Amino acid sequence: MPSTSASSDLPAPAETPAEAGLLDALQHQVAVFARRAEQTRLGGVGQARNSMDRAAYLLLNRLDLEGPMGVKALAGGMGIDSSTVTRQVAPLVDSGLVKRTSHPEDGRAVVLALSPRGLARLEEVRSSRRELMARVTDGWAEQERESFTALLTRFNVSLSELMAAGAEAGSDPASGAGPAS
């Protein structure tokens, strides 16, 4: 009978030295990328460089792309819990980048929306980050940029799905272990 734990969904460990070497190189490059991203915070260039932390950028970006929503929906879409979103949104509300409004259909519920000031700030940071990406990939063909973006997106989606499957099963999918005790 097949196992239903999240670890059974993980691929078998690499069986050949070539596969193991490739996966070692991949994990090393991901680690280097994470360190470089933290060092630069992928903050862009110019005056907007490092002027918005990752959590704020991701929250503002989601509100811009998907429109006003409640804390629960925002948390679910980002794969984090509601208390984390509440904590991360508070300074954005205090600084006027996000506004709390009444739900249009249920006035008792609160939704978060990007304020005009928040949109302007987000656009400033996006522009700076686009310039950084242009500099980093200067000399790359457009097809290389597209391929890298597609592969990085696929990697992030796979990682997100793996982590979500582990959370649902009560295990740490990254460890390959079964449900947590």
Side-chain angles (χ1 to χ4, degrees):
M1 175 177 220
S3 169
T4 58
S5 75
S7 62
S8 67
D9 295 336
L10 293 174
E15 296 181 14
T16 69
E19 289 172 324
L22 181 59
L23 293 174
D24 284 345
L26 176 60
Q27 67 80 22
H28 176 77
Q29 290 304 317
V30 168
V32 170
F33 173 77
R35 180 178 27 176
R36 297 276 186 266
E38 248 342 277
Q39 287 171 339
T40 64
R41 297 180 67 198
L42 292 182
V45 295
Q47 289 203 301
R49 184 171 190 268
N50 292 332
S51 61
M52 183 179 290
D53 69 36
R54 180 179 57 240
Y57 177 78
L58 293 172
L59 287 165
L60 294 179
N61 196 56
R62 181 157 302 261
L63 288 172
D64 181 43
L65 296 175
E66 297 185 21
M69 65 182 74
V71 169
K72 223 175 186 179
L74 190 54
M78 296 182 71
I80 56 180
D81 69 42
S82 296
S83 65
T84 301
V85 168
T86 299
R87 186 179 67 252
Q88 292 175 347
V89 163
L92 301 175
V93 171
D94 292 344
S95 64
L97 300 177
V98 171
K99 58 186 177 181
R100 286 188 173 105
T101 61
S102 295
H103 191 283
E105 295 162 11
D106 179 0
R108 299 167 298 169
V110 174
V111 294
L112 302 167
L114 191 60
S115 71
R117 181 175 178 207
L119 180 59
R121 186 74 187 92
L122 180 60
E123 285 302 327
E124 181 180 275
V125 171
R126 279 179 177 157
S127 176
S128 173
R129 289 179 178 194
R130 274 192 301 272
E131 175 63 23
L132 176 62
M133 292 299 105
R135 288 183 185 185
V136 169
T137 61
D138 184 43
W140 292 27
E142 184 174 350
Q143 193 275 332
E144 289 174 312
R145 285 178 173 170
E146 289 171 356
S147 293
F148 181 73
T149 301
L151 289 169
L152 189 56
T153 299
R154 183 176 173 192
F155 180 83
N156 280 324
V157 167
S158 293
L159 187 57
S160 180
E161 289 171 350
L162 181 65
M163 299 311 290
E168 290 172 9
S171 66
D172 177 3
S175 72
S181 307

